Amino acid sequence: MERYDSKLKHPSRQLRNKSTEAEILLWSKIRFRQLKDLLFYRQKPLGGYIADFYCPKAKLVLEVDGGQHLEKDAKEYDQVRDEFLKNMGLTVLRFTNVDVMDNIDGVVEVICRYLP
């Protein structure tokens, strides 16, 4: 299992209880080993960050972004975060809330391309 800052355990639990509609929809498609029998975690601490979804076997992080991620500061933060995760050997896929809500089948298809 990947290392993480233990201070993120409580915030990750809080985030699981405050999921967006898009996160709930995506979670309904990837939980219970529905994709290639692989386990995904939700709001998983990785290093000093919390990933929306994480599949350890595929070394895959999934992010579902709302409109706030379009702001300059958020984009810069996301780039630093993604680089950190990539340096851990992880692949990061980002989807917007709109992608998930309007085209969940397409989102799942993209995810499957990155699964072993």
Side-chain angles (χ1 to χ4, degrees):
M1 192 61 63
E2 306 294 340
R3 291 181 179 231
Y4 68 92
D5 183 340
S6 61
K7 293 176 191 155
L8 295 177
K9 194 170 187 174
H10 181 71
S12 72
R13 285 183 181 159
Q14 290 178 318
L15 286 171
R16 282 193 293 272
N17 291 327
K18 295 179 181 179
S19 297
T20 65
E21 282 186 58
E23 289 171 339
I24 291 166
L25 178 58
L26 181 56
W27 182 236
S28 76
K29 300 294 183 180
I30 64 175
R31 68 188 298 189
F32 301 129
R33 298 181 184 262
Q34 293 179 73
L35 299 183
K36 299 188 178 187
D37 199 38
L38 294 172
L39 178 66
F40 280 84
Y41 293 92
R42 183 167 58 124
Q43 301 301 337
K44 179 70 177 159
L46 295 169
Y49 300 99
I50 299 173
D52 288 341
F53 304 98
Y54 173 60
C55 177
K57 184 154 187 167
K59 294 189 171 272
L60 182 63
V61 171
L62 306 176
E63 291 295 322
V64 180
D65 296 338
Q68 71 275 17
H69 288 268
L70 298 174
E71 296 175 12
K72 185 181 180 216
D73 289 345
K75 279 185 175 185
E76 290 171 1
Y77 176 83
D78 286 345
Q79 285 177 328
V80 169
R81 182 178 183 277
D82 288 358
E83 192 62 34
F84 175 85
L85 295 170
K86 287 175 187 174
N87 287 335
M88 290 178 65
L90 305 175
T91 299
V92 179
L93 297 181
R94 288 189 169 275
F95 303 98
T96 67
N97 286 341
V98 174
D99 293 334
V100 173
M101 297 305 292
D102 290 351
N103 187 20
I104 188 63
D105 292 334
V107 168
V108 170
E109 186 177 313
V110 170
I111 294 167
C112 285
R113 290 185 208 145
Y114 289 85
L115 301 178

